Amino acid sequence: MGDRARSVAFFTGVAIAGMLGIDPAGAQTRTAAADPPPDTGQLAEVTVTARYTTEALQDAPLAISTLSADQIQQRGFVNVSDIGTTVPNVTFQPTGDHYGKGISAYIRGVGQSDSSPAQSPAVGFYIDDVYVGTVNGANTALFDIDNIEVLRGPQGTLFGANSESGAVRIYSVKPKGDNSGYVEAGYGSYNHVIGKGVFDVALVPDKLFFRAGVTVDKQDGFESLVDYACRYPGNPYTGSLKPFTTAATDCVWGHEGGTDTVGLKAALRWLAADNLEVNIKADFTNDTGENPATKLLAINQASPSLQQANSLFKQYYGGLGYGPWFQTSNIYTSYATYTDPVNGQHNNPTALYRGYGFSGNVAWTPADGLQLKSITGYRTTNTAGPDSNAAPVTIVDSYQAHYAYQASEELDLIGTALANALDWTVGLFYFNSRGEQTGNIDIPVIGLPPNAVIPLGNNSTLYANQYGYLNFIFNEPVHDLDKSVFLHAIYHFTNDFSLEAGVRYTNQAKTFTLEQWDQPVNELQFPVTTQTSSNKRVDPKVGLQYRWNENLMTYASYATGFKGGGINPEATESVKQITPFGPETLKNYELGEKSELLDHRLRVNADVFHMIYTGLQLTAINNNLPVEENVGRAVIDGAELEIEARPIPSVLLNASGSYLRYDLKDCAPGCQSPENTGGVPPGAIAPQTPKWKFNAGLQYTLNMGDAGTLTPRIDYSYQSLVYNDPTDDPNAVQPGYSLVNAHLTWASSTNNWSAALTVANLTNKVYYTTKYDFYVNGTVTGNPGAPCEWLLTLRKNF
């Protein structure tokens, strides 16, 4: 039996089992009641707002996963990338070392790995209903979070552009005005120190509430930066190169992989009238932590670019230069100095993120069955970081930054009609983002005579510096504009049978300007060039939903979504490389079931889907130059399963699994060929997406009477082999691996005090979050995941 047959058989079996195992005890009508009392042993009711109305998770006909504040705390999650392990067919990874901290997000095999703001994400991130327009800065800390919703599949109707494969909705806690709050402190591995504090008060009783909090998170990196010339003096590889620093201890001069974050949040909630509520929220984050841990994995000594860089190094120091001798035997050590020994340029190994945001959410109900909502947002993002050569000899030395500010407004009119048989929403959306990507790039791998002036034609000229480097600074504006209108409706034929339909019109444009200045002459390398990628789209959705009884609901749907077009931002030889590319599109056919069995002690949700993916935006190497372009068509089939159970009141079990079959039907015009050696090979599979993924967690609560409760929990996750490059490059493969995390929580009988011990990567598994192949320049690098770490926290609630 093949992979597809096994997958269909497995998930079909789950669905059939759910239908046959219906519990006759629950014949009453489903209600949106509050969580059941703890002593019933039932699963808590979960509500979601993915369709602009509050409804039970089991009534929402779409693939959606949720995490509550308690679940985030129980599993020891710290930032957004952590939640990817628990959600089927979802991969969230921290980005590598340029442009600073961000997140590479893939859902069902569709995402964005390049963090350049000249391109668009495929997964939409929303903070308190405000869209975040860039992957830079999306990997936010999970501080004072009420809940998170992860929607899988295209969300083009309700959420619009760049929610092509799904959306992540993060909600902060609303002020309650009940004089509650908490303080928390902790210490752990690698001098990990955390502190948190939140308070919630009523400024005007029953009218005006205020909530504010602060978090501090600081940790040394787990990867040591070793000064090679210090550790191995007089070696033949670095020649006469002097030690990088005399202040190093045991030749270790720094670390990678650490954090240094301060976050602030404030929220104001005003119940202006019985039918008018205003929520204003603000947040600020300053992260000056270390660069991601980066490891040198392989070296192509036959690379002409590498040989050119080494010839320059030999002129100055007489050593052999970059080579396999810089591959350390320990995964958690690197010989990076972040310094070009020829020109002396040094970058601090710090990945910066600084950003703040404001949101205003006004909900007015002028009449029964009618509500007007306004969602106003403003956010800024400032990220920056250097590349790591993972060695004391430079291949490419760069420091790049991205600054953006965005303003958005959404108006939603929500109502009912036809004797409450029709629920409808009409919306308008406006998004305007402006930013700049800047940096300094030093490229010794391009061989030029010192101080050379080389005309390239088309008014383009290369100016070499005194070392024979191509060295340039750039300041490149990016503008993103999105205007859309949408309509969404649900018609209830009966209480159990409904039809969902929606449509969204989007007018989107992204503009990029190339502006590069060669150093030291400060002359334009190319004429200032502006390109715009604009597109207009109509995205529909239609679905049917049927509730067979109180325990089982099934649905079928068709929806489309798209990822906006962009501009290839890489120019090394001609402005002709600065070319726009169009949007990529996704059609999704989906069948799903949601069931609750055994008197609401077992929850089983499953779905299967078939997607047609066209105009893929992929980066390929064409004649040694990176080119972003639209490539061919792929067919994606998959299945997803989520289970939650309380077999007895003291035990909670959750599990999820997914399967994905990615079939690239056509790769034109980016197919691999003698002229396009870095192109996409026929049959390539999705990058950063495992075929199989599994997660399971088990926790047990021991009631110790007046001594409180003790809750041990263990989480296991597995993902199969992952290609980190769209060309299925074998140098950038991460084999399948498993991770185990453990958590132990004590809470006092009054719940005023609690303590938690978290051990992440309990088995000390060696793995890489991602890998990068720069083989044309002679190197392959990877970002190792953290080793086994522990964290002990103490919390006081009031």
Side-chain angles (χ1 to χ4, degrees):
M1 182 181 290
D3 285 340
R4 179 185 288 186
R6 281 194 294 267
S7 174
V8 171
F10 173 69
F11 284 96
T12 302
V14 170
I16 293 174
M19 287 185 280
L20 294 178
I22 294 171
D23 185 354
Q28 69 273 17
T29 301
R30 172 179 293 276
T31 64
D35 292 349
D39 58 358
T40 67
Q42 295 180 335
L43 293 169
E45 180 108 40
V46 179
T47 59
V48 296
T49 58
R51 298 195 297 171
Y52 287 88
T53 184
T54 300
E55 59 185 335
L57 171 68
Q58 296 306 98
D59 289 334
L62 70 163
I64 179 172
S65 302
T66 65
L67 282 170
S68 67
D70 287 343
Q71 290 171 324
I72 292 171
Q73 187 176 10
Q74 289 164 359
R75 301 175 192 190
F77 291 164
V78 176
N79 49 45
V80 172
S81 62
D82 292 337
I83 68 177
T85 60
T86 68
V87 184
N89 275 327
V90 168
T91 303
F92 295 156
Q93 298 291 8
T95 52
D97 53 9
H98 86 188
Y99 286 122
K101 292 181 170 68
I103 191 168
S104 177
Y106 279 75
I107 295 180
R108 293 181 173 177
V110 180
Q112 179 201 8
S113 58
D114 193 323
S115 59
S116 169
Q119 301 169 28
S120 299
V123 178
F125 282 82
Y126 296 80
I127 299 177
D128 294 319
D129 285 325
V130 173
Y131 173 63
V132 180
T134 173
V135 299
N136 297 312
N139 194 22
T140 58
L142 298 178
F143 165 60
D144 204 33
I145 298 298
D146 181 75
N147 68 90
I148 297 174
E149 297 177 358
V150 181
L151 286 65
R152 303 186 298 278
Q155 306 296 321
T157 303
L158 289 175
F159 297 97
N162 307 330
S163 297
E164 175 189 28
S165 60
V168 181
R169 309 176 74 203
I170 303 168
Y171 290 98
S172 305
V173 179
K174 277 187 178 183
K176 299 180 288 293
D178 58 357
N179 295 320
S180 63
Y182 66 87
V183 291
E184 182 177 324
Y187 182 80
S189 301
Y190 302 101
N191 294 317
H192 193 180
V193 178
I194 69 167
K196 300 178 183 180
V198 171
F199 67 92
D200 193 320
V201 298
L203 302 179
V204 178
D206 301 322
K207 283 289 183 182
L208 188 62
F209 315 133
F210 178 71
R211 183 181 182 94
V214 60
T215 179
V216 177
D217 189 339
K218 185 176 178 63
Q219 183 181 29
D220 295 338
F222 57 84
E223 182 164 86
S224 299
L225 296 175
V226 179
D227 184 354
Y228 190 89
C230 168
R231 178 70 61 87
Y232 305 105
N235 69 83
Y237 310 117
T238 56
S240 61
L241 182 68
K242 295 181 179 179
F244 167 66
T245 174
T246 58
T249 302
D250 193 26
C251 297
V252 175
W253 69 272
H255 296 87
E256 292 176 327
T259 59
D260 191 353
T261 304
V262 176
L264 303 172
K265 278 190 175 182
L268 193 66
R269 184 183 180 196
W270 179 31
L271 303 180
D274 291 341
N275 63 346
L276 179 61
E277 180 174 336
V278 179
N279 282 278
I280 300 173
K281 297 181 179 180
D283 63 87
F284 170 78
T285 301
N286 186 52
D287 186 346
T288 57
E290 297 161 351
N291 229 32
T294 304
K295 176 77 174 173
L296 180 61
L297 301 178
I299 294 175
N300 176 16
Q301 289 185 284
S303 164
S305 297
L306 181 64
Q307 292 173 7
Q308 167 62 27
N310 282 343
S311 69
L312 285 172
F313 181 81
K314 292 174 187 178
Q315 291 178 28
Y316 289 90
Y317 296 100
L320 295 178
Y322 212 107
W325 36 87
F326 294 141
Q327 292 178 251
T328 66
S329 58
N330 185 338
I331 187 177
Y332 304 120
T333 60
S334 168
Y335 293 131
T337 61
Y338 288 88
T339 298
D340 185 331
V342 175
N343 67 8
Q345 179 175 311
H346 175 72
N347 296 314
N348 290 323
T350 299
L352 169 72
Y353 168 65
R354 182 178 294 114
Y356 61 88
F358 301 94
S359 66
N361 193 315
V362 180
W364 177 44
T365 307
D368 289 342
L370 186 65
Q371 184 182 64
L372 178 65
K373 289 183 66 176
S374 169
I375 304 167
T376 305
Y378 178 84
R379 298 198 68 83
T380 69
T381 301
N382 186 3
T383 59
D387 282 329
S388 170
N389 289 283
V393 178
T394 301
I395 303 299
V396 175
D397 187 23
S398 74
Y399 188 91
Q400 303 184 57
H402 172 237
Y403 171 76
Y405 60 93
Q406 64 171 67
S408 62
E409 173 63 33
E410 181 171 340
L411 290 174
D412 301 326
L413 187 62
I414 305 167
T416 61
L418 305 179
N420 295 327
L422 179 67
D423 299 322
W424 56 269
T425 301
V426 177
L428 299 171
F429 177 73
Y430 175 83
F431 175 85
N432 193 344
S433 173
R434 294 184 182 272
E436 291 179 329
Q437 55 181 32
T438 63
N440 185 318
I441 299 184
D442 202 12
I443 310 178
V445 297
I446 296 180
L448 299 173
N451 300 311
V453 178
I454 303 176
L456 298 176
N458 299 313
N459 297 319
S460 303
T461 305
L462 293 182
Y463 300 87
N465 64 15
Q466 65 269 37
Y467 308 104
Y469 286 13
L470 174 61
N471 175 258
F472 62 88
I473 60 175
F474 61 93
N475 184 10
E476 299 169 338
V478 181
H479 180 210
D480 197 354
L481 183 64
D482 184 325
K483 296 174 284 187
S484 61
V485 57
F486 62 91
L487 170 66
H488 183 263
I490 305 169
Y491 183 76
H492 304 276
F493 296 100
T494 68
N495 289 336
D496 297 321
F497 182 44
S498 61
L499 167 69
E500 177 182 13
V503 65
R504 187 182 191 111
Y505 168 78
T506 302
N507 187 336
Q508 186 187 54
K510 185 183 287 285
T511 301
F512 170 82
T513 300
L514 171 73
E515 189 174 338
Q516 296 182 358
W517 300 81
D518 280 350
Q519 303 302 305
V521 294
N522 203 36
E523 295 285 349
L524 279 171
Q525 180 176 343
F526 308 105
V528 175
T529 304
T530 298
Q531 289 281 9
T532 298
S533 176
S534 58
N535 50 270
K536 299 176 181 178
R537 279 276 306 177
V538 175
D539 285 297
K541 179 176 183 178
V542 62
L544 290 172
Q545 173 185 4
Y546 187 74
R547 176 161 291 284
W548 300 85
N549 51 49
E550 194 245 347
N551 294 315
L552 176 66
M553 182 271 286
T554 58
Y555 67 90
S557 66
Y558 166 79
T560 70
F562 80 103
K563 171 181 170 181
I567 297 93
N568 180 49
E570 304 286 347
T572 54
E573 291 186 357
S574 169
V575 292
K576 292 182 179 180
Q577 294 173 251
I578 306 301
T579 55
F581 50 85
E584 59 180 32
T585 61
L586 195 66
K587 298 178 181 179
N588 182 64
Y589 303 83
E590 187 167 321
L591 295 172
E593 69 84 27
K594 296 192 174 184
S595 57
E596 284 193 353
L597 314 171
L598 305 178
D599 193 24
H600 303 293
R601 288 178 171 84
L602 173 64
R603 183 175 294 147
V604 180
N605 296 341
D607 63 79
V608 294
F609 57 87
H610 172 77
M611 302 197 304
I612 301 174
Y613 183 26
T614 56
L616 289 63
Q617 297 172 6
L618 295 178
T619 302
I621 304 298
N622 194 337
N623 293 324
N624 292 332
L625 301 176
V627 177
E628 184 86 4
E629 56 189 353
N630 296 103
V631 172
R633 180 175 68 95
V635 173
I636 306 173
D637 295 304
E640 297 161 344
L641 170 69
E642 293 182 287
I643 297 173
E644 189 172 15
R646 292 189 68 186
I648 57 176
S650 58
V651 173
L652 179 64
L653 168 69
N654 63 273
S656 66
S658 59
Y659 167 81
L660 191 79
R661 183 178 183 271
Y662 185 100
D663 186 6
L664 184 64
K665 297 292 187 180
D666 178 21
C667 55
C671 299
Q672 199 173 73
S673 67
E675 296 76 24
N676 186 14
T677 56
V680 180
I685 66 173
Q688 300 193 21
T689 301
K691 177 182 287 188
W692 294 97
K693 185 180 176 186
F694 177 74
N695 167 264
L698 177 65
Q699 72 180 51
Y700 174 77
T701 301
L702 175 64
N703 192 329
M704 302 183 295
D706 292 341
T709 60
L710 192 65
T711 305
R713 178 182 176 88
I714 191 163
D715 287 282
Y716 169 86
S717 62
Y718 167 78
Q719 69 171 41
S720 60
L721 178 146
V722 167
Y723 289 98
N724 286 289
D725 187 279
T727 64
D728 285 2
D729 185 344
N731 290 317
V733 170
Q734 168 59 55
Y737 64 91
S738 302
L739 293 176
V740 179
N741 299 328
H743 202 75
L744 180 64
T745 303
W746 168 81
S748 66
S749 58
T750 58
N751 205 35
N752 289 335
W753 288 92
S754 64
L757 174 64
T758 299
V759 182
N761 193 2
L762 183 66
T763 61
N764 205 30
K765 180 68 177 180
V766 173
Y767 68 101
Y768 291 86
T769 60
T770 191
K771 296 180 181 179
Y772 300 92
D773 187 348
F774 303 103
Y775 218 54
V776 66
N777 286 341
T779 65
V780 178
T781 61
N783 300 126
C788 180
E789 297 179 328
W790 61 270
L791 176 66
L792 179 64
T793 60
L794 180 65
R795 177 166 172 159
K796 167 67 168 134
N797 297 317
F798 55 87

